[in-house]
Amino acid sequence: MANIEYSEQEQIRRESLAKLRELGIEPYPAAEYPVNTSAAEITAGYDPEKGNFQEICIAGRIMSRRIMGAASFGELQDASGRIQIYVKRDEICPDEDKTMYNTVWKKLLDIGDIIGIKGFAFITQTGQLSIHAKELTLLSKSLRVLPIVKELDGQVFDAFSDPELRYRQRYVDLIVNPQIKDTFIKRAKIVATMREYFNEAGCLEVETPILQSIPGGATARPFITHHNALDIPLYLRIANELYLKRLIVGGYNGVYEFAKDFRNEGMDKTHNPEFTCMEIYVAYKDYNWMMDFVEKMLSRISIAVNGTTKVDIAGNEVDFGGSYRRLPILEAIKEYAGVDVKGMDEDGLRATCKKLGVEIEPSMGKGKLIDAIFGEYCEKNLIQPTFVTDYPVEMSPLTKRHRTDPSLTERFELFVCGKELANAYSELNDPIDQLERFEEQAALKTKGDDEAMFIDFDFVRALEYGMPPTSGLGMGIDRLTMFMTGQTAIQDVLFFPQMKPEKILRKEDKDKEE
């Protein structure tokens, strides 16, 4: 066994563990424990006049104890909340042997231990709803000390609030800050509402490959791995778009997927290298139809999650109801940056960026130069939900050209509070045009743009069989959850966000370092 150095409290708990076993008490029993209610159910439903909840079987963590001789009070926390328990020596030890109370309960159990209680609900003399324990069972011994939050004279002590610790030890965070569970319950409701909405629209939920021979569907830097049996490099997908479109070619009228995507890029408060993206593709529709579809979907989600279409996001009241503003990207640049970039070539755009003080790289083509100006001057002004539309063709390699202006595409991005929430197209279904766009991306890659797309010849072949007019949408579930729950960091809506490796030293390693 590893030679690990324990704190004094951790050592005491391990000694208690050994003593429990000496008493013949298994601290990690395998048998089922027949839980039949929860703290929340008892709190909501107990009626002293009815005398209900008289045969309770409940389980949870000990979160506090007040031992007073032959009787004690404690607080039990289960998945639904907390409730007080009353433990009396002669009730849980009706025979002469009082070991379960005097030794186990008073000395060998600790805050954080998981126990089972059988008993009945009652109201104490001070008016506190409690469970009167008739039987107590140890279900799991906790060997580490919980950072129990205490409040005294309005001051909070020992709060488990350090973000890095909370994200790294989410299991502790969920125990001592149970209010954060609400964020993840809402996240699940967001996904369930979307799934219900798509199914009602006649779309089919599907699954597509995560390991791909060509990382397509987005401009991003991929993670690379190796398949030993085939002796080929593979990529973790950066998007599932091209596979979903293949299914539209194959004859489905509507498909969607909640996909884990991976991009080998930086991390900040709105980006995690592993993220969840929903993509949906519907045949015989265009990006105008998709805007209406998204408005109705977000209104429905907001009401399901928050009971209203209005949500407070970073101090801004954002309304997901009604119709959203539709703003062409070149008009947005003219409005917020004060320049008209329509028709500019690459040299003109570089000069404009320099004049505006926008940082650029030599590898950037026209699309990324326009995007840089938009990002610097426009995004921060888009607080209420806004569809930014009609992107230049250089910015949108997979998008159908605009029906009235071939220099533009039928694309929109939805912005909320200065952040992109969704990206959608009237999908490019011309295989010849698509191959030319791929070749333009390949040229950018040779210039040093490591986010430019690969050429996917199989996808072009699929388009050559004919893909109907199609509208597609990608939406980040993590960012949507941030907006719907009022969180400002993506790490707060991921159970286990990516972190730098934690160095856990064994005692012998620590001795070597010293």
Side-chain angles (χ1 to χ4, degrees), residues 171-213:
Y171 39 89
V172 179
D173 190 29
L174 290 165
I175 295 169
V176 301
N177 297 316
Q179 70 277 4
I180 71 159
K181 290 181 180 177
D182 185 56
T183 296
F184 295 98
I185 291 170
K186 286 183 175 179
R187 180 184 175 115
K189 188 172 289 187
I190 288 168
V191 172
T193 303
M194 294 177 83
R195 182 174 278 120
E196 180 181 60
Y197 183 69
F198 298 151
N199 290 345
E200 288 175 4
C203 298
L204 178 70
E205 184 171 9
V206 299
E207 293 182 346
T208 62
I210 292 176
L211 289 174
Q212 301 181 352
S213 57

Side-chain angles (χ1 to χ4, degrees), residues 13 20 60-63 76 108-115 138 140-143 146:
R13 289 186 177 222
L20 286 165
R61 288 185 189 273
I62 303 169
M63 299 304 288
L76 194 74
L108 301 181
L109 295 189
D110 295 287
I111 304 299
D113 289 352
I114 299 173
I115 61 171
L138 175 62
S140 183
K141 179 68 181 166
S142 173
L143 300 182
L146 282 177

